[in-house]
């Protein structure tokens, strides 16, 4: 089945530093990937849609200059949290659709990255 | 914008009992998907419903899509401790569009 990986799984950084999170589709090519943010005991909030070879589409209220997204290949999207602050601490999860799969709307989620900003 | 609501927010179930969680959308959906997230884990795809009135079963789980394609339900029979987790529904207004997630139903099972 479709597998999505994320790296790192956990990161702790100092306030003001930047953190890059990678999302990879391992056994399929994904023209579209999605980045979500999840606070403890809350639902998933879509941050942006990452499109291979073009600019990401950000949801209302998400700062594109703070959350930089790059989708340089069909199997890799990266999210960079720039100048991280404690309020950016959260669980970041990516997902991808398999355009050649049986259900093209199904999103396959990565294992998530838990970011803690001190 | 599109809103997807789930009730109840929390479900405490005695092991062996049945329960149902409900999902309601403010707009008509193209399809609805259900995911399960175990504590500390990530969402795992369970099923997708596309047709009006569709019913699908996965062992002890029964998923239903409403006739108007604005609501859905997940019914679990004979709950087991392995059913612990948060169940999310997520809908899309049109095929290929982004998913809007409901708030989730957090299920706790009492042995």
């Amino acid at each position: 089945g479709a597998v999505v990986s994320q790296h790192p799984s956990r990161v702790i950084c100092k306030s003001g530093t930047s953190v890059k999170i990678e999302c990879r589709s391992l056994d399929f090519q994904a023209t579209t990937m999605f980045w979500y943010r999840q606070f403890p005991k809350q639902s998933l909030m879509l941050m942006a849609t990452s499109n291979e070879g073009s600019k990401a589409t950000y949801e209302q209220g998400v700062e594109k200059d703070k959350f930089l997204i790059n989708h340089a290949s069909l199997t890799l999207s990266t999210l960079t949290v720039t100048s991280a602050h404690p309020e950016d601490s959260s669980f970041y999860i990516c997902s991808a659709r398999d355009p050649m799969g049986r259900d093209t709307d199904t999103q396959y989620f990565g294992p998530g990255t838990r970011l803690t900003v001190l | 914008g599109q809103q997807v609501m789930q009730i109840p927010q929390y479900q405490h179930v005695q092991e062996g009992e049945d329960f149902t969680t409900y999902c309601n959308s403010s707009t008509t959906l193209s399809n609805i998907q259900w995911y399960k997230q175990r504590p500390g884990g990530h969402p795992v795809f369970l099923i997708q419903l596309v047709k009006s009135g569709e019913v699908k079963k996965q062992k002890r789980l029964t998923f239903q899509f409403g006739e108007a394609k604005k609501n859905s339900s997940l019914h679990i029979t004979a709950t087991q401790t392995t059913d612990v987790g948060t169940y999310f529904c997520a809908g899309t207004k049109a095929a290929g569009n982004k998913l809007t997630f409901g708030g989730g139903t957090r299920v706790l099972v009492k042995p």
Side-chain angles (χ1 to χ4, degrees):
Chain A
V3 179
V4 176
S5 71
Q6 264 184 260
H7 178 80
S9 59
R10 193 178 293 267
V11 58
I12 300 172
C13 69
K14 292 182 179 180
S15 187
T17 60
S18 294
V19 175
K20 180 186 280 189
I21 303 169
E22 293 185 349
C23 177
R24 293 181 186 272
S25 57
L26 297 186
D27 51 358
F28 65 99
Q29 293 184 329
T31 53
T32 305
M33 290 184 174
F34 303 87
W35 286 96
Y36 294 85
R37 184 173 178 174
Q38 187 178 34
F39 290 107
K41 298 185 179 181
Q42 293 190 22
S43 187
L44 285 79
M45 298 300 295
L46 180 65
M47 299 175 66
T49 302
S50 171
N51 304 296
E52 188 269 335
S54 64
K55 291 182 179 180
T57 304
Y58 289 83
E59 294 301 300
Q60 193 172 10
V62 178
E63 298 176 59
K64 60 181 179 182
D65 293 331
K66 180 165 182 64
F67 299 100
L68 301 178
I69 291 173
N70 185 281
H71 195 153
S73 78
L74 287 172
T75 59
L76 173 64
S77 175
T78 61
L79 167 69
T80 301
V81 183
T82 62
S83 186
H85 287 94
E87 57 264 30
D88 297 324
S89 299
S90 187
F91 192 46
Y92 293 86
I93 315 176
C94 72
S95 71
R97 287 190 180 127
D98 181 358
M100 304 302 290
R102 188 179 67 176
D103 294 318
T104 56
D105 274 335
T106 300
Q107 290 190 21
Y108 299 95
F109 284 83
T113 297
R114 193 164 301 281
L115 171 64
T116 303
V117 185
L118 302 177
Chain B
Q2 181 186 9
Q3 291 186 331
V4 176
M5 293 148 285
Q6 275 184 260
I7 54 170
Q9 188 176 358
Y10 294 93
Q11 181 81 53
H12 291 83
V13 193
Q14 190 71 46
E15 189 174 13
E17 290 185 344
D18 305 349
F19 77 91
T20 304
T21 174
Y22 301 90
C23 178
N24 296 290
S25 169
S26 58
T27 58
T28 302
L29 300 170
S30 170
N31 65 71
I32 196 156
Q33 300 172 30
W34 285 87
Y35 293 81
K36 177 182 178 182
Q37 184 175 23
R38 293 182 183 275
H42 62 279
V44 174
F45 174 77
L46 294 177
I47 210 156
Q48 175 175 273
L49 303 170
V50 179
K51 299 176 184 176
S52 170
E54 187 171 16
V55 178
K56 287 188 177 180
K57 289 190 176 184
Q58 284 183 353
K59 297 182 181 179
R60 295 179 294 103
L61 278 61
T62 302
F63 303 85
Q64 189 167 5
F65 203 6
E67 294 290 339
K69 300 184 74 173
K70 293 181 71 173
N71 54 67
S72 180
S73 64
L74 160 60
H75 181 77
I76 300 182
T77 58
T79 305
Q80 300 176 358
T81 55
T82 53
D83 295 325
V84 165
T86 301
Y87 294 83
F88 292 101
C89 66
T92 180
K93 286 171 64 176
N97 275 19
K98 61 186 181 184
L99 283 174
T100 300
F101 277 79
T105 294
R106 187 178 302 273
V107 176
L108 301 172
V109 179
K110 294 178 282 187

PDB file of all heavy atoms in Angstrom, chain B residues 12-42:
ATOM      1  N   HIS B  12     -17.107   7.136  26.111  1.00  0.00           N
ATOM      2  CA  HIS B  12     -16.614   6.112  27.035  1.00  0.00           C
ATOM      3  C   HIS B  12     -17.494   4.887  26.861  1.00  0.00           C
ATOM      4  O   HIS B  12     -18.711   4.970  27.045  1.00  0.00           O
ATOM      5  CB  HIS B  12     -16.688   6.620  28.486  1.00  0.00           C
ATOM      6  CG  HIS B  12     -15.719   7.714  28.772  1.00  0.00           C
ATOM      7  ND1 HIS B  12     -15.965   9.032  28.468  1.00  0.00           N
ATOM      8  CD2 HIS B  12     -14.479   7.690  29.332  1.00  0.00           C
ATOM      9  CE1 HIS B  12     -14.936   9.777  28.837  1.00  0.00           C
ATOM     10  NE2 HIS B  12     -14.014   8.988  29.358  1.00  0.00           N
ATOM     11  N   VAL B  13     -16.884   3.790  26.517  1.00  0.00           N
ATOM     12  CA  VAL B  13     -17.649   2.585  26.199  1.00  0.00           C
ATOM     13  C   VAL B  13     -17.173   1.424  27.059  1.00  0.00           C
ATOM     14  O   VAL B  13     -15.956   1.259  27.250  1.00  0.00           O
ATOM     15  CB  VAL B  13     -17.473   2.189  24.717  1.00  0.00           C
ATOM     16  CG1 VAL B  13     -18.500   1.139  24.322  1.00  0.00           C
ATOM     17  CG2 VAL B  13     -17.570   3.383  23.807  1.00  0.00           C
ATOM     18  N   GLN B  14     -18.123   0.649  27.536  1.00  0.00           N
ATOM     19  CA  GLN B  14     -17.771  -0.577  28.231  1.00  0.00           C
ATOM     20  C   GLN B  14     -17.369  -1.615  27.185  1.00  0.00           C
ATOM     21  O   GLN B  14     -18.031  -1.743  26.140  1.00  0.00           O
ATOM     22  CB  GLN B  14     -18.977  -1.084  29.027  1.00  0.00           C
ATOM     23  CG  GLN B  14     -18.685  -2.219  29.986  1.00  0.00           C
ATOM     24  CD  GLN B  14     -17.878  -1.766  31.179  1.00  0.00           C
ATOM     25  OE1 GLN B  14     -18.170  -0.753  31.791  1.00  0.00           O
ATOM     26  NE2 GLN B  14     -16.855  -2.538  31.526  1.00  0.00           N
ATOM     27  N   GLU B  15     -16.329  -2.336  27.451  1.00  0.00           N
ATOM     28  CA  GLU B  15     -15.891  -3.366  26.519  1.00  0.00           C
ATOM     29  C   GLU B  15     -17.042  -4.318  26.207  1.00  0.00           C
ATOM     30  O   GLU B  15     -17.749  -4.772  27.119  1.00  0.00           O
ATOM     31  CB  GLU B  15     -14.720  -4.150  27.106  1.00  0.00           C
ATOM     32  CG  GLU B  15     -14.046  -5.097  26.119  1.00  0.00           C
ATOM     33  CD  GLU B  15     -12.794  -5.749  26.711  1.00  0.00           C
ATOM     34  OE1 GLU B  15     -12.590  -5.666  27.941  1.00  0.00           O
ATOM     35  OE2 GLU B  15     -12.023  -6.324  25.949  1.00  0.00           O
ATOM     36  N   GLY B  16     -17.254  -4.576  24.952  1.00  0.00           N
ATOM     37  CA  GLY B  16     -18.337  -5.457  24.529  1.00  0.00           C
ATOM     38  C   GLY B  16     -19.594  -4.739  24.078  1.00  0.00           C
ATOM     39  O   GLY B  16     -20.442  -5.329  23.397  1.00  0.00           O
ATOM     40  N   GLU B  17     -19.699  -3.465  24.418  1.00  0.00           N
ATOM     41  CA  GLU B  17     -20.881  -2.701  24.016  1.00  0.00           C
ATOM     42  C   GLU B  17     -20.693  -2.097  22.619  1.00  0.00           C
ATOM     43  O   GLU B  17     -19.597  -2.071  22.083  1.00  0.00           O
ATOM     44  CB  GLU B  17     -21.158  -1.589  25.032  1.00  0.00           C
ATOM     45  CG  GLU B  17     -21.639  -2.107  26.373  1.00  0.00           C
ATOM     46  CD  GLU B  17     -22.026  -0.990  27.320  1.00  0.00           C
ATOM     47  OE1 GLU B  17     -21.637   0.165  27.064  1.00  0.00           O
ATOM     48  OE2 GLU B  17     -22.712  -1.284  28.323  1.00  0.00           O
ATOM     49  N   ASP B  18     -21.811  -1.612  22.087  1.00  0.00           N
ATOM     50  CA  ASP B  18     -21.782  -0.957  20.774  1.00  0.00           C
ATOM     51  C   ASP B  18     -21.832   0.559  20.972  1.00  0.00           C
ATOM     52  O   ASP B  18     -22.289   1.051  22.000  1.00  0.00           O
ATOM     53  CB  ASP B  18     -22.995  -1.356  19.933  1.00  0.00           C
ATOM     54  CG  ASP B  18     -23.144  -2.860  19.767  1.00  0.00           C
ATOM     55  OD1 ASP B  18     -22.202  -3.604  20.124  1.00  0.00           O
ATOM     56  OD2 ASP B  18     -24.211  -3.284  19.282  1.00  0.00           O
ATOM     57  N   PHE B  19     -21.371   1.288  19.980  1.00  0.00           N
ATOM     58  CA  PHE B  19     -21.555   2.739  19.988  1.00  0.00           C
ATOM     59  C   PHE B  19     -21.512   3.271  18.573  1.00  0.00           C
ATOM     60  O   PHE B  19     -21.040   2.608  17.644  1.00  0.00           O
ATOM     61  CB  PHE B  19     -20.512   3.441  20.867  1.00  0.00           C
ATOM     62  CG  PHE B  19     -19.149   3.562  20.237  1.00  0.00           C
ATOM     63  CD1 PHE B  19     -18.803   4.673  19.476  1.00  0.00           C
ATOM     64  CD2 PHE B  19     -18.208   2.563  20.418  1.00  0.00           C
ATOM     65  CE1 PHE B  19     -17.553   4.771  18.901  1.00  0.00           C
ATOM     66  CE2 PHE B  19     -16.961   2.658  19.847  1.00  0.00           C
ATOM     67  CZ  PHE B  19     -16.624   3.758  19.080  1.00  0.00           C
ATOM     68  N   THR B  20     -22.007   4.515  18.441  1.00  0.00           N
ATOM     69  CA  THR B  20     -22.044   5.171  17.134  1.00  0.00           C
ATOM     70  C   THR B  20     -21.514   6.592  17.264  1.00  0.00           C
ATOM     71  O   THR B  20     -21.817   7.286  18.236  1.00  0.00           O
ATOM     72  CB  THR B  20     -23.482   5.224  16.576  1.00  0.00           C
ATOM     73  OG1 THR B  20     -24.010   3.891  16.516  1.00  0.00           O
ATOM     74  CG2 THR B  20     -23.495   5.839  15.176  1.00  0.00           C
ATOM     75  N   THR B  21     -20.740   7.006  16.302  1.00  0.00           N
ATOM     76  CA  THR B  21     -20.285   8.387  16.231  1.00  0.00           C
ATOM     77  C   THR B  21     -20.798   8.997  14.941  1.00  0.00           C
ATOM     78  O   THR B  21     -20.883   8.323  13.912  1.00  0.00           O
ATOM     79  CB  THR B  21     -18.743   8.495  16.321  1.00  0.00           C
ATOM     80  OG1 THR B  21     -18.363   9.864  16.115  1.00  0.00           O
ATOM     81  CG2 THR B  21     -18.038   7.639  15.293  1.00  0.00           C
ATOM     82  N   TYR B  22     -21.177  10.265  15.024  1.00  0.00           N
ATOM     83  CA  TYR B  22     -21.853  10.915  13.915  1.00  0.00           C
ATOM     84  C   TYR B  22     -21.039  12.082  13.361  1.00  0.00           C
ATOM     85  O   TYR B  22     -20.347  12.777  14.099  1.00  0.00           O
ATOM     86  CB  TYR B  22     -23.220  11.431  14.365  1.00  0.00           C
ATOM     87  CG  TYR B  22     -24.129  10.335  14.880  1.00  0.00           C
ATOM     88  CD1 TYR B  22     -24.129   9.984  16.228  1.00  0.00           C
ATOM     89  CD2 TYR B  22     -24.979   9.651  14.008  1.00  0.00           C
ATOM     90  CE1 TYR B  22     -24.947   8.977  16.691  1.00  0.00           C
ATOM     91  CE2 TYR B  22     -25.805   8.644  14.477  1.00  0.00           C
ATOM     92  CZ  TYR B  22     -25.782   8.313  15.817  1.00  0.00           C
ATOM     93  OH  TYR B  22     -26.594   7.306  16.282  1.00  0.00           O
ATOM     94  N   CYS B  23     -21.195  12.286  12.076  1.00  0.00           N
ATOM     95  CA  CYS B  23     -20.445  13.321  11.372  1.00  0.00           C
ATOM     96  C   CYS B  23     -21.430  14.114  10.519  1.00  0.00           C
ATOM     97  O   CYS B  23     -22.214  13.522   9.760  1.00  0.00           O
ATOM     98  CB  CYS B  23     -19.390  12.639  10.491  1.00  0.00           C
ATOM     99  SG  CYS B  23     -18.401  13.735   9.485  1.00  0.00           S
ATOM    100  N   ASN B  24     -21.402  15.429  10.648  1.00  0.00           N
ATOM    101  CA  ASN B  24     -22.330  16.277   9.891  1.00  0.00           C
ATOM    102  C   ASN B  24     -21.584  17.401   9.202  1.00  0.00           C
ATOM    103  O   ASN B  24     -20.777  18.087   9.828  1.00  0.00           O
ATOM    104  CB  ASN B  24     -23.388  16.866  10.824  1.00  0.00           C
ATOM    105  CG  ASN B  24     -24.269  15.797  11.425  1.00  0.00           C
ATOM    106  OD1 ASN B  24     -25.073  15.181  10.740  1.00  0.00           O
ATOM    107  ND2 ASN B  24     -24.101  15.550  12.711  1.00  0.00           N
ATOM    108  N   SER B  25     -21.894  17.579   7.924  1.00  0.00           N
ATOM    109  CA  SER B  25     -21.260  18.633   7.145  1.00  0.00           C
ATOM    110  C   SER B  25     -22.244  19.762   6.886  1.00  0.00           C
ATOM    111  O   SER B  25     -23.439  19.541   6.728  1.00  0.00           O
ATOM    112  CB  SER B  25     -20.756  18.069   5.816  1.00  0.00           C
ATOM    113  OG  SER B  25     -20.357  19.108   4.945  1.00  0.00           O
ATOM    114  N   SER B  26     -21.710  20.978   6.811  1.00  0.00           N
ATOM    115  CA  SER B  26     -22.560  22.129   6.512  1.00  0.00           C
ATOM    116  C   SER B  26     -22.895  22.203   5.014  1.00  0.00           C
ATOM    117  O   SER B  26     -23.793  22.939   4.616  1.00  0.00           O
ATOM    118  CB  SER B  26     -21.867  23.417   6.952  1.00  0.00           C
ATOM    119  OG  SER B  26     -20.616  23.556   6.298  1.00  0.00           O
ATOM    120  N   THR B  27     -22.141  21.457   4.212  1.00  0.00           N
ATOM    121  CA  THR B  27     -22.381  21.470   2.767  1.00  0.00           C
ATOM    122  C   THR B  27     -22.419  20.039   2.236  1.00  0.00           C
ATOM    123  O   THR B  27     -21.941  19.112   2.887  1.00  0.00           O
ATOM    124  CB  THR B  27     -21.273  22.233   2.023  1.00  0.00           C
ATOM    125  OG1 THR B  27     -20.008  21.613   2.310  1.00  0.00           O
ATOM    126  CG2 THR B  27     -21.199  23.691   2.459  1.00  0.00           C
ATOM    127  N   THR B  28     -22.996  19.864   1.087  1.00  0.00           N
ATOM    128  CA  THR B  28     -23.035  18.551   0.444  1.00  0.00           C
ATOM    129  C   THR B  28     -21.618  18.128   0.066  1.00  0.00           C
ATOM    130  O   THR B  28     -20.827  18.933  -0.423  1.00  0.00           O
ATOM    131  CB  THR B  28     -23.909  18.587  -0.819  1.00  0.00           C
ATOM    132  OG1 THR B  28     -25.218  19.019  -0.446  1.00  0.00           O
ATOM    133  CG2 THR B  28     -23.995  17.216  -1.470  1.00  0.00           C
ATOM    134  N   LEU B  29     -21.326  16.876   0.317  1.00  0.00           N
ATOM    135  CA  LEU B  29     -19.979  16.367   0.094  1.00  0.00           C
ATOM    136  C   LEU B  29     -19.895  15.503  -1.157  1.00  0.00           C
ATOM    137  O   LEU B  29     -20.860  14.846  -1.551  1.00  0.00           O
ATOM    138  CB  LEU B  29     -19.533  15.542   1.301  1.00  0.00           C
ATOM    139  CG  LEU B  29     -19.485  16.279   2.640  1.00  0.00           C
ATOM    140  CD1 LEU B  29     -19.258  15.289   3.774  1.00  0.00           C
ATOM    141  CD2 LEU B  29     -18.416  17.346   2.622  1.00  0.00           C
ATOM    142  N   SER B  30     -18.729  15.511  -1.753  1.00  0.00           N
ATOM    143  CA  SER B  30     -18.454  14.600  -2.860  1.00  0.00           C
ATOM    144  C   SER B  30     -18.179  13.202  -2.304  1.00  0.00           C
ATOM    145  O   SER B  30     -18.639  12.200  -2.848  1.00  0.00           O
ATOM    146  CB  SER B  30     -17.251  15.090  -3.658  1.00  0.00           C
ATOM    147  OG  SER B  30     -16.838  14.115  -4.590  1.00  0.00           O
ATOM    148  N   ASN B  31     -17.399  13.152  -1.266  1.00  0.00           N
ATOM    149  CA  ASN B  31     -17.141  11.884  -0.587  1.00  0.00           C
ATOM    150  C   ASN B  31     -16.754  12.166   0.847  1.00  0.00           C
ATOM    151  O   ASN B  31     -16.463  13.310   1.213  1.00  0.00           O
ATOM    152  CB  ASN B  31     -16.048  11.072  -1.296  1.00  0.00           C
ATOM    153  CG  ASN B  31     -14.700  11.756  -1.254  1.00  0.00           C
ATOM    154  OD1 ASN B  31     -14.071  11.843  -0.204  1.00  0.00           O
ATOM    155  ND2 ASN B  31     -14.236  12.228  -2.400  1.00  0.00           N
ATOM    156  N   ILE B  32     -16.800  11.147   1.652  1.00  0.00           N
ATOM    157  CA  ILE B  32     -16.400  11.290   3.040  1.00  0.00           C
ATOM    158  C   ILE B  32     -15.447  10.151   3.387  1.00  0.00           C
ATOM    159  O   ILE B  32     -15.610   9.025   2.890  1.00  0.00           O
ATOM    160  CB  ILE B  32     -17.602  11.331   3.996  1.00  0.00           C
ATOM    161  CG1 ILE B  32     -17.172  11.861   5.363  1.00  0.00           C
ATOM    162  CG2 ILE B  32     -18.257   9.961   4.128  1.00  0.00           C
ATOM    163  CD1 ILE B  32     -18.294  12.467   6.149  1.00  0.00           C
ATOM    164  N   GLN B  33     -14.463  10.457   4.180  1.00  0.00           N
ATOM    165  CA  GLN B  33     -13.473   9.471   4.577  1.00  0.00           C
ATOM    166  C   GLN B  33     -13.423   9.398   6.104  1.00  0.00           C
ATOM    167  O   GLN B  33     -13.715  10.378   6.789  1.00  0.00           O
ATOM    168  CB  GLN B  33     -12.100   9.850   4.018  1.00  0.00           C
ATOM    169  CG  GLN B  33     -12.084   9.934   2.502  1.00  0.00           C
ATOM    170  CD  GLN B  33     -10.789  10.484   1.939  1.00  0.00           C
ATOM    171  OE1 GLN B  33      -9.717  10.314   2.532  1.00  0.00           O
ATOM    172  NE2 GLN B  33     -10.873  11.141   0.795  1.00  0.00           N
ATOM    173  N   TRP B  34     -13.063   8.235   6.581  1.00  0.00           N
ATOM    174  CA  TRP B  34     -12.904   8.043   8.024  1.00  0.00           C
ATOM    175  C   TRP B  34     -11.475   7.610   8.310  1.00  0.00           C
ATOM    176  O   TRP B  34     -10.892   6.787   7.581  1.00  0.00           O
ATOM    177  CB  TRP B  34     -13.884   6.988   8.536  1.00  0.00           C
ATOM    178  CG  TRP B  34     -15.294   7.476   8.642  1.00  0.00           C
ATOM    179  CD1 TRP B  34     -16.243   7.471   7.670  1.00  0.00           C
ATOM    180  CD2 TRP B  34     -15.912   8.061   9.798  1.00  0.00           C
ATOM    181  NE1 TRP B  34     -17.416   8.013   8.152  1.00  0.00           N
ATOM    182  CE2 TRP B  34     -17.244   8.377   9.450  1.00  0.00           C
ATOM    183  CE3 TRP B  34     -15.475   8.342  11.106  1.00  0.00           C
ATOM    184  CZ2 TRP B  34     -18.143   8.955  10.353  1.00  0.00           C
ATOM    185  CZ3 TRP B  34     -16.371   8.915  11.996  1.00  0.00           C
ATOM    186  CH2 TRP B  34     -17.681   9.212  11.622  1.00  0.00           C
ATOM    187  N   TYR B  35     -10.936   8.175   9.371  1.00  0.00           N
ATOM    188  CA  TYR B  35      -9.577   7.871   9.800  1.00  0.00           C
ATOM    189  C   TYR B  35      -9.591   7.524  11.284  1.00  0.00           C
ATOM    190  O   TYR B  35     -10.432   8.011  12.041  1.00  0.00           O
ATOM    191  CB  TYR B  35      -8.650   9.075   9.579  1.00  0.00           C
ATOM    192  CG  TYR B  35      -8.415   9.420   8.130  1.00  0.00           C
ATOM    193  CD1 TYR B  35      -9.338  10.169   7.409  1.00  0.00           C
ATOM    194  CD2 TYR B  35      -7.269   8.991   7.476  1.00  0.00           C
ATOM    195  CE1 TYR B  35      -9.128  10.478   6.079  1.00  0.00           C
ATOM    196  CE2 TYR B  35      -7.038   9.307   6.142  1.00  0.00           C
ATOM    197  CZ  TYR B  35      -7.969  10.047   5.464  1.00  0.00           C
ATOM    198  OH  TYR B  35      -7.754  10.353   4.137  1.00  0.00           O
ATOM    199  N   LYS B  36      -8.602   6.717  11.687  1.00  0.00           N
ATOM    200  CA  LYS B  36      -8.438   6.413  13.103  1.00  0.00           C
ATOM    201  C   LYS B  36      -7.026   6.829  13.522  1.00  0.00           C
ATOM    202  O   LYS B  36      -6.053   6.509  12.818  1.00  0.00           O
ATOM    203  CB  LYS B  36      -8.621   4.916  13.374  1.00  0.00           C
ATOM    204  CG  LYS B  36      -8.391   4.525  14.834  1.00  0.00           C
ATOM    205  CD  LYS B  36      -8.543   3.037  15.042  1.00  0.00           C
ATOM    206  CE  LYS B  36      -8.267   2.664  16.499  1.00  0.00           C
ATOM    207  NZ  LYS B  36      -8.375   1.198  16.715  1.00  0.00           N
ATOM    208  N   GLN B  37      -6.954   7.506  14.643  1.00  0.00           N
ATOM    209  CA  GLN B  37      -5.655   7.923  15.159  1.00  0.00           C
ATOM    210  C   GLN B  37      -5.494   7.356  16.578  1.00  0.00           C
ATOM    211  O   GLN B  37      -6.240   7.721  17.476  1.00  0.00           O
ATOM    212  CB  GLN B  37      -5.531   9.451  15.177  1.00  0.00           C
ATOM    213  CG  GLN B  37      -4.164   9.965  15.609  1.00  0.00           C
ATOM    214  CD  GLN B  37      -4.062  11.483  15.493  1.00  0.00           C
ATOM    215  OE1 GLN B  37      -5.051  12.198  15.509  1.00  0.00           O
ATOM    216  NE2 GLN B  37      -2.838  12.003  15.394  1.00  0.00           N
ATOM    217  N   ARG B  38      -4.540   6.471  16.727  1.00  0.00           N
ATOM    218  CA  ARG B  38      -4.260   5.934  18.053  1.00  0.00           C
ATOM    219  C   ARG B  38      -3.502   6.974  18.858  1.00  0.00           C
ATOM    220  O   ARG B  38      -2.820   7.841  18.294  1.00  0.00           O
ATOM    221  CB  ARG B  38      -3.434   4.659  17.943  1.00  0.00           C
ATOM    222  CG  ARG B  38      -4.172   3.505  17.301  1.00  0.00           C
ATOM    223  CD  ARG B  38      -3.309   2.255  17.261  1.00  0.00           C
ATOM    224  NE  ARG B  38      -3.953   1.159  16.597  1.00  0.00           N
ATOM    225  CZ  ARG B  38      -4.789   0.311  17.192  1.00  0.00           C
ATOM    226  NH1 ARG B  38      -5.053   0.445  18.479  1.00  0.00           N
ATOM    227  NH2 ARG B  38      -5.345  -0.670  16.511  1.00  0.00           N
ATOM    228  N   PRO B  39      -3.572   6.908  20.178  1.00  0.00           N
ATOM    229  CA  PRO B  39      -2.823   7.875  21.007  1.00  0.00           C
ATOM    230  C   PRO B  39      -1.349   7.877  20.650  1.00  0.00           C
ATOM    231  O   PRO B  39      -0.699   6.834  20.607  1.00  0.00           O
ATOM    232  CB  PRO B  39      -3.064   7.343  22.425  1.00  0.00           C
ATOM    233  CG  PRO B  39      -4.377   6.621  22.350  1.00  0.00           C
ATOM    234  CD  PRO B  39      -4.395   5.992  20.992  1.00  0.00           C
ATOM    235  N   GLY B  40      -0.820   9.065  20.358  1.00  0.00           N
ATOM    236  CA  GLY B  40       0.587   9.191  19.988  1.00  0.00           C
ATOM    237  C   GLY B  40       0.892   8.846  18.553  1.00  0.00           C
ATOM    238  O   GLY B  40       2.051   8.930  18.126  1.00  0.00           O
ATOM    239  N   GLY B  41      -0.115   8.459  17.799  1.00  0.00           N
ATOM    240  CA  GLY B  41       0.116   8.038  16.414  1.00  0.00           C
ATOM    241  C   GLY B  41      -0.398   9.042  15.403  1.00  0.00           C
ATOM    242  O   GLY B  41      -0.734  10.172  15.743  1.00  0.00           O
ATOM    243  N   HIS B  42      -0.451   8.614  14.166  1.00  0.00           N
ATOM    244  CA  HIS B  42      -0.931   9.474  13.106  1.00  0.00           C
ATOM    245  C   HIS B  42      -2.221   8.888  12.531  1.00  0.00           C
ATOM    246  O   HIS B  42      -2.524   7.712  12.733  1.00  0.00           O
ATOM    247  CB  HIS B  42       0.135   9.594  12.012  1.00  0.00           C
ATOM    248  CG  HIS B  42       0.461   8.285  11.342  1.00  0.00           C
ATOM    249  ND1 HIS B  42       1.305   7.367  11.884  1.00  0.00           N
ATOM    250  CD2 HIS B  42       0.025   7.755  10.167  1.00  0.00           C
ATOM    251  CE1 HIS B  42       1.405   6.323  11.087  1.00  0.00           C
ATOM    252  NE2 HIS B  42       0.631   6.532  10.037  1.00  0.00           N
TER     253      HIS B  42
END
